[in-house]
Amino acid sequence: MFALFQELQRYVGFGEADERALKALHPLLCDSFPAVSEVFYERVLQHADARAALTRGEKHVGQLKGTLVKWMNELFTGPWDQAYVERRARIGRVHVQIALPQHYMVSAMNVVRVELRERIALVIDERSPEGRAARDALERICDLDLALMLHTYREDLEQSQARSERLSTFGQLVGSIGHELRNPLGVIETSLYVLKGRPSTDERTLKHLERIGQQVVLANEIITQLLNLIRDRPLNRGKVELAQLVAEAIASVPEGPVSFTRPPPLEVTGDAIQLRQVVVNLAQNATHFAGPEGRVEVCLTSTPTEATLTVDDSGPGIDPSIRNRLFEPLVTTRPGGVGLGLALVRRVVERHGGKVAATRGPLGGARFTVTLPLEEEA
Amino acid sequence: MTRRYLVVDDNIEFAENVAEILTDAGAEVSVAAEGRSALAQLRATRFDGIVTDMKMPGMSGAELLRELRLIDPGVPVVLLSAWAQDAQVDEARRLGLLAFLSKASGTPQLIELMTHARRDATVVLVDDDRALVENLTEALSSAGFTVCSATTVQELDALAVQPLAALVDIRVPGATDGAALARIKELFPGTPMLVVTARPDFEGEPDQDVFHKPFDTAKLLARLQALAGKAGAA
């Protein structure tokens, strides 16, 4: 991505002179950034589609305006480095996520460009050499930013299309592979049963028979998980006491110390077995990434309308390369992982009317937050 | 007396393995690789239990079950499948199963089921409460009973065998109270009726045993075992 940025810089002729010009402009313009931001959102929100997409997200427009001011500060002060490129790329990605069409980025950039151009004209004489340099620098950096956003937009869109194709064939594939694998597993399992019934005192024989048995169970579990993922098992709804469910689920995760302060009983309506699986999967991931020396903290809180479960670990945090696809099937960074745990988590949580999100956590690693509605019956 | 079993699977290695294990347990076991030859063997031999795969070329496990109920209505059948979502499983449940098991999920359980399987011990189970049906099916299976389960009155028409007893919820959706009981009486007069109900005031007819929800499953099983004992002695 940075290589692309450097190539684009050469292409539009963005150089040190432009960087100097932008930096010189910053103190003259920065007081007017909030006003530019106001104009920008006033214009953008006139479009019904854009308004719907922007206000659907969690962020309020007030927050978005602040982000735009920050964006303008960066535009003029740089540094125009790798981190800069990544921040710009994220804007394109967000557009794909909130399903805002590509051309909005072009017209939105134009609004900013025109506004800034007019404000520059107010502080510098446009016909002076400094004025021309300032104007050129603005055009170039706006071109560069737009190119970066459009590039990531296209890249992400292509990826998400490829993904949805992958998912539809995934379902069929999983169904038949699951079937076909259970047959040989059934043979292995029954053969093993016969062998275990034959008297043997050879320690190594016994050890390896035991090992085969464990691996058959493991393989069988993976198949079950895969099949569960593609089938719509109806939720077996009932009253579930979450505090106890979480405590039991955590206790069943063998690795590492997980700390959980048990809150007072908290009742939700849901499928106890599937909800338990959610907690187990999150806790297993957390203990894995925290490692034997690390820490995992699980916390369950509630408001009158929802229950919130957070799982924090002190691990390395979420790999940026899979951040956007974290909850999709077959995506994993765990050695030996199949990439089904989080996909199942999201599926179960969403079917309970809840949400799951991954962010950076207070222990330095990842934080997974699950929220479940409490007033199901109302 | 030596028990005789039939194992049906196109995966012949699996069939042979199961046969070997049951033989080790003291039984006489035949193997069939597909439905037709299984049916031929069923015509010639009276088995104490059948294990069949669901997915087979030609005749599926569910189709085999439908055909074999015409030849031997009272034989206990365990259906194996790689995956519980097979659309045909529900049909098979209506036709009567000792159990439905996932392949590769536990040989000890399969052996246990086969060893305790009772012939001519079909219990009709009519209830729309899925969780209760699952729990009762499991309890009945491990006590050796074959379960025909239906969630509606119409599904009872699949019933191909004189049941040992009927275990019926007085209220099932889409029908008047007691409609399921009446239908069973019509199809198989004289079937002992065990009525389960969530209505605490329900008393039932003199010829009915009433079990109020939540009821003691052990007591229910004891009642069925007594009926099975009587049928065996007769």
Side-chain angles (χ1 to χ4, degrees), chain A residues 180 182-183 187 189-191 220, chain B residues 17 21 55 82 103-104 107:
Chain A
E180 295 317 314
R182 279 237 165 102
N183 270 313
V187 177
E189 204 257 351
T190 43
S191 283
N220 213 2
Chain B
N17 271 359
I21 292 164
K55 197 179 158 211
K103 252 190 186 178
T107 306

Side-chain angles (χ1 to χ4, degrees), chain A residues 175-176 178-180 182-194 198 216 220 223 227-228 230-232 234 236, chain B residues 9-11 13-14 17-18 20-21 24 53 55 81-86 102-108 111 130-131 134:
Chain A
S176 49
H179 258 110
E180 295 317 314
R182 279 237 165 102
N183 270 313
L185 275 178
V187 177
I188 297 172
E189 204 257 351
T190 43
S191 283
L192 190 66
Y193 184 88
V194 173
R198 319 285 301 167
V216 167
N220 213 2
I223 294 172
L227 294 174
N228 280 346
I230 58 162
R231 88 195 225 211
D232 272 314
N236 199 352
Chain B
D9 198 325
D10 60 312
N11 182 347
E13 289 85 358
F14 182 80
N17 271 359
V18 173
E20 196 175 322
I21 292 164
D24 283 348
D53 188 24
K55 197 179 158 211
S81 173
W83 188 17
Q85 207 196 13
D86 285 299
S102 160
K103 252 190 186 178
S105 70
T107 306
I111 306 310
R130 222 170 224 288
E134 270 176 33

Side-chain angles (χ1 to χ4, degrees), chain A residues 59-70:
Chain A
K59 287 189 178 165
H60 297 293
V61 174
Q63 252 175 303
L64 291 171
K65 285 178 184 165
T67 312
L68 183 58
V69 170
K70 194 167 161 244

